[in-house]
Amino acid sequence: MNQPLHDLVSIIVIGHNGGKYLGGALSSAIGQTWPSTEVIYVDDGSTDDSIAIASGFNRIRILTQRQSGISAARNAGAHASAGDFLVFLDHDDLLELNAVESAMECFHANPAAAFVFGRARLIDTEGQPFRARFPVHPVDEPDLFLALLKGGNACHSICPPAVVTFRREKFLSSGGFRARFMPAEDYDLYLRISREHECCSYPQETVNYRIHHGNISKDVLNLLSACQRVISWHYESALPDPLVETAYRQGTQYWRRYWLGRLPVQAVQQIRNRQFKKFAYSLAAIFLKHPLSIWY
């Protein structure tokens, strides 16, 4: 390890009524093998015992705000941070103990990178790993911006946000997370940064991504709309370029096929959770938007 050990990395943990899992997330942030870290907990208007849980830890700065959404909370943590590098961890996920160290090794090997990203491991509500895994980052072309605009495995490999470590300067100059693209505000950010700067991946699994019924990623139609808005904005704001136009068309087709193909899975989960009104909405969407997905 030749990366300067004095480089401070700010781990920003975001929570809203996440007391059930928050202690684990904070412990994983504090326990990093990288010797120079700070941990900031940003509470987004919780009404449970989240602040009390965070207060029980040493070495944690606590910021509170009225409930303003995850984008505002992440941006607030970034502006309050002192580190040269940033990691954003949701309250229900866990960092591997060498997550920061692995990211800093990648920065050392790629000193021009604006952000670097590893891989995630899926875990259940009890913290046990699933057999299913996120794919290894398979970008076939050197342009990450085009690969992300097309959708596909490049996008899934950069999920959840905690797999990414940002240079703070590049994050702030980009404008940070933009709430109007929720819940695909991270996708928008990656496109904005990769369009202007080098970004790199590495193969280590650095984050345990918890899957449970409260995940925002289960809202299929909302995510489809958000992904379409993101790629449309980036296509319309780009200079005329046949490669960008081709990538945009591929991305439009990909996200529609990907999310609508998951409508039946969402509907089954809603029945299991006795969310009958949501199930009726999903069922109507299946027949109106993508009836062939019922066979899936």
Side-chain angles (χ1 to χ4, degrees):
M1 166 64 70
N2 295 319
Q3 183 76 17
L5 298 181
H6 61 268
D7 282 343
L8 180 63
V9 180
S10 298
I11 303 172
I12 300 166
V13 183
I14 307 300
H16 171 71
N17 290 342
K20 180 177 180 180
Y21 301 117
L22 179 59
L26 293 173
S27 294
S28 74
I30 293 172
Q32 289 297 301
T33 57
W34 184 254
S36 185
T37 61
E38 68 166 357
V39 179
I40 301 172
Y41 171 61
V42 184
D43 187 87
D44 185 36
S46 293
T47 56
D48 65 357
D49 59 349
S50 293
I51 294 178
I53 291 171
S55 299
F57 287 83
N58 296 322
R59 294 182 48 228
I60 290 181
R61 275 201 292 154
I62 300 175
L63 304 179
T64 61
Q65 63 179 33
R66 291 183 179 180
Q67 186 178 359
S68 304
I70 194 168
S71 294
R74 287 169 175 162
N75 291 339
H79 284 286
S81 66
D84 299 310
F85 300 87
L86 304 175
V87 177
F88 297 96
L89 179 66
D90 292 343
H91 68 258
D92 49 356
D93 297 334
L94 303 168
L95 292 176
E96 290 290 319
L97 295 184
N98 65 342
V100 171
E101 185 173 352
S102 297
M104 299 307 288
E105 288 176 347
C106 188
F107 272 120
H108 176 64
N110 302 276
F115 70 71
V116 301
F117 59 103
R119 296 176 57 202
R121 178 188 299 112
L122 299 175
I123 59 174
D124 62 19
T125 55
E126 303 304 319
Q128 299 301 310
F130 282 110
R131 290 185 178 180
R133 300 163 72 91
F134 282 109
V136 176
H137 174 16
V139 178
D140 299 327
E141 51 196 302
D143 193 326
L144 180 61
F145 171 76
L146 290 177
L148 290 173
L149 195 63
K150 291 176 182 178
N153 286 337
C155 296
H156 303 302
S157 296
I158 201 169
C159 174
V163 301
V164 181
T165 303
F166 297 91
R167 288 192 188 274
R168 183 176 185 271
E169 174 192 2
K170 301 301 185 185
F171 174 85
L172 293 178
S173 65
S174 76
F177 293 96
R178 300 195 289 190
R180 70 178 183 270
F181 290 116
M182 280 286 292
E185 76 289 354
D186 49 347
Y187 184 29
D188 165 59
L189 177 63
Y190 305 148
L191 283 165
R192 267 184 288 132
I193 296 179
S194 65
R195 188 171 174 173
E196 303 292 337
H197 304 286
E198 177 184 338
C199 304
C200 301
S201 68
Y202 54 98
Q204 287 87 349
E205 291 180 333
T206 58
V207 178
N208 292 290
Y209 179 43
R210 197 183 305 270
I211 303 299
H212 55 84
H213 73 274
N215 286 125
I216 196 170
S217 58
K218 298 291 179 62
D219 190 345
V220 167
L221 293 177
N222 193 22
L223 268 164
L224 170 59
S225 175
C227 289
Q228 289 175 330
R229 285 185 284 115
V230 166
I231 63 174
S232 293
W233 187 92
H234 284 276
Y235 169 64
E236 292 168 3
S237 63
L239 295 174
D241 185 328
L243 292 178
V244 172
E245 179 155 355
T246 299
Y248 168 71
R249 290 178 178 175
Q250 291 177 348
T252 300
Q253 295 172 0
Y254 175 80
W255 288 121
R256 179 174 175 81
R257 183 174 64 251
Y258 178 84
W259 289 119
L260 292 182
R262 278 149 183 78
L263 269 173
V265 177
Q266 176 176 269
V268 169
Q269 292 169 336
Q270 289 165 342
I271 282 289
R272 288 174 176 170
N273 296 330
R274 305 181 67 83
Q275 298 171 315
F276 300 119
K277 289 184 178 180
K278 290 183 178 181
F279 167 74
Y281 185 64
S282 295
L283 196 62
I286 288 171
F287 286 104
L288 291 173
K289 296 178 179 290
H290 195 20
L292 290 178
S293 70
I294 194 67
W295 297 109
Y296 171 81

